[in-house]
Amino acid sequence: MADNLLIPAIVHFNLGSSKVSITDYHIAVALENRSQYVRSINGQGKAVYAIHKGAEINQTADVKVSILKTPDKKFDDDIKKIEKNLNATKENNPDKYVENMLFSIATNDDKPFTHIQFQGYVSDISSEVDAETGLQEVTAELSIYDPVSFVIKQ
């Protein structure tokens, strides 16, 4: 097993051509084609089983990034980049808000070992204040616009 492979410590996120500093992320993607065995009766009246192949691939995704709003306002520009993308969705023109999104996941010595890329947009933003630290965390939900654009590569 390679060192540091299972526990990435660093994630770089790009929204279009802009680097966005994130403090947390969640990426979950499910693919299914609903293939199954189907029972039918043949010409002799006997039960036979055949595979029924799915006609399409159903893709669902749950992708979120979080940015901590610090008192020194270090990440305020990153929050504005995400808010700008969300505001562009109101124009109802995908050319104005769909961006190439790239996650580069690296080991704790910042050596990337995988990349996740897709065309998407910010679909929702929420925030909450941590009771212990009093710091606000802004969470953006990302939607995949073009399912075929989703790529995981080394």
Side-chain angles (χ1 to χ4, degrees):
M1 185 182 319
D3 292 336
N4 301 320
L5 187 59
L6 297 177
I7 306 174
I10 300 169
V11 173
H12 301 285
F13 175 62
N14 285 33
L15 174 65
S17 59
S18 300
K19 183 178 186 229
V20 178
S21 299
I22 58 175
T23 52
D24 195 13
Y25 66 98
H26 170 86
I27 303 170
V29 177
L31 301 171
E32 64 178 325
N33 71 351
R34 297 191 177 134
S35 291
Q36 59 186 339
Y37 281 100
V38 178
R39 182 177 180 215
S40 61
I41 305 297
N42 67 12
Q44 289 81 29
K46 294 184 180 182
V48 294
Y49 294 88
I51 190 159
H52 176 264
K53 294 183 179 180
E56 59 189 31
I57 296 174
N58 183 26
Q59 181 187 86
T60 57
D62 181 16
V63 184
K64 296 176 186 167
V65 295
S66 297
I67 303 171
L68 199 60
K69 192 169 175 108
T70 58
D72 62 3
K73 301 182 183 204
K74 183 178 177 181
F75 301 111
D76 283 6
D77 286 343
D78 295 312
I79 293 170
K80 286 179 185 170
K81 290 173 190 173
I82 288 182
E83 288 172 340
K84 181 181 175 186
N85 186 263
L86 177 65
N87 289 334
T89 62
K90 294 175 185 170
E91 295 187 35
N92 205 20
N93 180 357
D95 292 338
K96 300 207 181 219
Y97 61 83
V98 172
E99 298 279 357
N100 287 323
M101 299 196 179
L102 173 67
F103 289 89
S104 295
I105 303 171
T107 59
N108 58 8
D109 53 356
D110 205 11
K111 292 182 181 173
F113 68 88
T114 194
H115 304 278
I116 299 171
Q117 184 174 353
F118 58 90
Q119 290 180 340
Y121 59 94
V122 177
S123 57
D124 190 36
I125 294 177
S126 62
S127 66
E128 65 180 44
V129 176
D130 185 278
E132 291 182 25
T133 65
L135 296 177
Q136 183 179 14
E137 184 176 53
V138 176
T139 301
E141 291 185 34
L142 308 178
S143 292
I144 298 173
Y145 178 74
D146 181 5
V148 177
S149 72
F150 189 86
V151 176
I152 299 174
K153 59 185 175 182
Q154 197 168 12

